[in-house]
Amino acid sequence: MSGTTTAAALRRRAAGAGANRWVVLVVLCVSLLLVAVDATVLHVAVPAVTEDLKPGAVELLWIVDAYPLVCASLLILFGTLGDRVGRRRVLLLGYTLFGVASAMAAFADDAHLLIVARALLGVGGAMIMPATLSILRQVFPDRRERALAIGVWSAVAAVGAAVGPLLGGFLLEHFWWGSVFLVNIPLMLVSLPVGRILLPESKGDGEGPWDVVGALTAAAGLFAVVLGVKRLGAGELGAATLLPLAAGAVLLVLFVRRQRRRTHPLLDLRMFSRPAFSTSVGCIVLAMLALVGLELIAAQYLQLVLGLSPLETGLRLVPLTFAAMAAGLAGARMLRRFGPRRMVSLGFCLTAGAVVLLTAMGGEDNAPLLLGGFVLLGFGLETTLFGAYESMLSEAPQDQVGGAAAIGETSYQLGAGIGIALLGSVMNAAYAPGLSQVPGVPASASAAAAHSLGEAYEVAARLGGPAGEALRLAARHSFVHGLHVTLLVSAGLLLAGAAMALRLPRLMHCDPEETPSGPASGASPARAGSTALSGPESATSPGQAPSAPASGTTAEASPAPDLGDIPNRMPAQRESRGSGVKV
């Protein structure tokens, strides 16, 4: 075969590989959609589950919390395991477990079996979530294309979180509560063979044994910390809250010390010495800490203060989701134009502005104000998270990308839990004093009403008459006042995040050898071939020898490469260290 003919064939194969990676993105997004939907779909089914299974208060709490608790605690374990044994292998195992656990949950006939099924769903989710990000990082070595892929990925996550309650409500209107889990099974039956065929396998360098003790220590420490944070968010300050927090902190300190001593650590903690990586993780925590508690408070405001139904409440929040989707899809363009530093700072400032705008909410419905505030909130939050996730993944070494993705997802979960605890405490501190001295209301009734607005309404209904009406009005006024205080605290946290983001790189740095490949980028076929392939499979000019292989590959003299395997073979890429090239 002549050199010209070989180069032409390689270019055609490279174009096929470029198209194939976008199919891979679709498969990964379907995986993420299932996990995101399952995280919220149970919320609307809780009343039906309670009526059918008759769980106790503690059992009901575990039915709701088993999934996020187990998932958050095992992210690092399975993220690093994927780096060692293969990310696709862990992802496919997560698919299988997720489908089996969904069937168990759908047909559970008692609360304990449902708790076990929800915990297994958490295990499956912990396998799937970091694997999708790490495979995405591998499939899209070019940072500009990867930014677009992360934008699509994050937009799908926003859709999943919003679709969960709507899908659950639709299914509950036509079927029994188990249908909210049963819907996962056909999707997993399709995703498993499709993922096995299309997804590429990738792993780290595999040097040294996998640190089983370290992985279990991290899992136990994270489980204890997340459990303590969740109990703290529920307003419990007793030994059952403080002991898990203390034990979790000790275990995590031991985990860090162990990783620093090991020659081949489970997680290379030197990643945190890179300002872009550590700052990105901190921005994720702060963004979720400032905002996730507001979601719960906003839902209470819409239903209890404005008197909207659950469906009307969900519809009011839909613009937030669409704004987040738009920010995700536009994120790659914004990142190229503004760079990580300005993009993340702008996202924080935009979100803070939206939060301040929402302080104009009062006791009466103001639909245009809520629409504008929620649109700015969704767009600003997604802009922040997109820029932070993209910078974190781009800074992580290729062989540690599963662990880096797990760190990002764990930061997300911890930020959410701490945010509920912190903002919930601020809300309660601002809400309770307004009910201490309501004319005509006994002190015991006032103390009970100070726990929450919903409980205040129940106490007011029992009192009846002028005293009940006075308590109801005082509770609404106090709740709105507490909401304003909480919003201002959130705005302060968001502005602190904007200041933190100033440590991110000013430009979106790309390796000079990284150029967009395949038809999606608009590159010429010859350039696409030179980017998509490396080592002995690189496209060459007629009469030239193949270029030198990338680090970690072995050059083999071969007159004709195996072209049939190219579309599923991942290119060996040098790790980007930032060349200062602005794109």
Side-chain angles (χ1 to χ4, degrees), residues 373-399:
F374 287 158
V375 167
L376 288 175
L377 193 67
F379 194 90
L381 173 61
E382 185 60 31
T383 298
T384 300
L385 292 176
F386 174 91
Y389 267 108
E390 198 282 333
S391 297
M392 181 194 70
L393 278 182
S394 297
E395 188 67 18
Q398 185 62 49
D399 61 344

Side-chain angles (χ1 to χ4, degrees), residues 287-431:
M288 297 312 300
L289 189 154
L291 290 166
V292 74
L294 292 180
E295 182 181 351
L296 180 61
I297 297 170
Q300 294 180 37
Y301 170 79
L302 293 173
Q303 294 184 62
L304 298 178
V305 176
L306 300 186
L308 302 181
S309 68
L311 179 58
E312 290 172 329
T313 299
L315 291 176
R316 287 293 184 93
L317 295 172
V318 165
L320 188 151
T321 302
F322 280 111
M325 291 169 54
L329 295 176
R333 183 182 297 272
M334 289 192 294
L335 189 64
R336 290 195 300 268
R337 181 176 180 83
F338 299 113
R341 179 188 302 173
R342 283 189 291 176
M343 181 177 178
V344 177
S345 294
L346 177 64
F348 270 121
C349 292
L350 190 62
T351 311
V355 168
V356 173
L357 177 64
L358 289 174
T359 58
M361 294 187 300
E364 302 298 328
D365 192 3
N366 188 338
L369 172 69
L370 293 176
L371 174 63
F374 287 158
V375 167
L376 288 175
L377 193 67
F379 194 90
L381 173 61
E382 185 60 31
T383 298
T384 300
L385 292 176
F386 174 91
Y389 267 108
E390 198 282 333
S391 297
M392 181 194 70
L393 278 182
S394 297
E395 188 67 18
Q398 185 62 49
D399 61 344
Q400 288 275 325
V401 69
I407 289 173
E409 294 296 333
T410 304
S411 303
Y412 186 101
Q413 298 288 342
L414 284 176
I418 296 171
I420 291 175
L422 176 62
L423 297 186
S425 300
V426 171
M427 180 69 191
N428 291 335
Y431 165 75

Side-chain angles (χ1 to χ4, degrees), residues 411-470:
S411 303
Y412 186 101
Q413 298 288 342
L414 284 176
I418 296 171
I420 291 175
L422 176 62
L423 297 186
S425 300
V426 171
M427 180 69 191
N428 291 335
Y431 165 75
L435 301 177
S436 59
Q437 294 180 346
V438 181
V441 177
S444 59
S446 295
H451 293 159
S452 68
L453 183 58
E455 193 165 347
Y457 283 177
E458 293 177 2
V459 174
R462 289 198 301 267
L463 286 176
E469 184 62 22

Side-chain angles (χ1 to χ4, degrees), residues 23-39 67 87-88 90-96 98 121 124-133 135 153 156-157 160 184 187-188 190-196 199:
V23 178
V24 169
L25 176 63
V26 172
V27 177
L28 296 178
C29 286
V30 171
S31 309
L32 178 67
L33 183 64
L34 287 172
V35 176
V37 167
D38 209 73
Y67 177 88
R87 293 148 189 158
R88 186 189 70 164
V90 172
L91 179 64
L92 296 179
L93 182 59
Y95 284 167
T96 304
F98 210 83
L121 281 170
M127 293 178 174
I128 294 172
M129 291 173 69
T132 58
L133 266 180
I135 292 176
W153 181 89
V156 168
N184 295 333
L187 294 174
M188 283 299 173
V190 173
S191 298
L192 191 60
V194 171
R196 183 176 179 83
L199 295 179

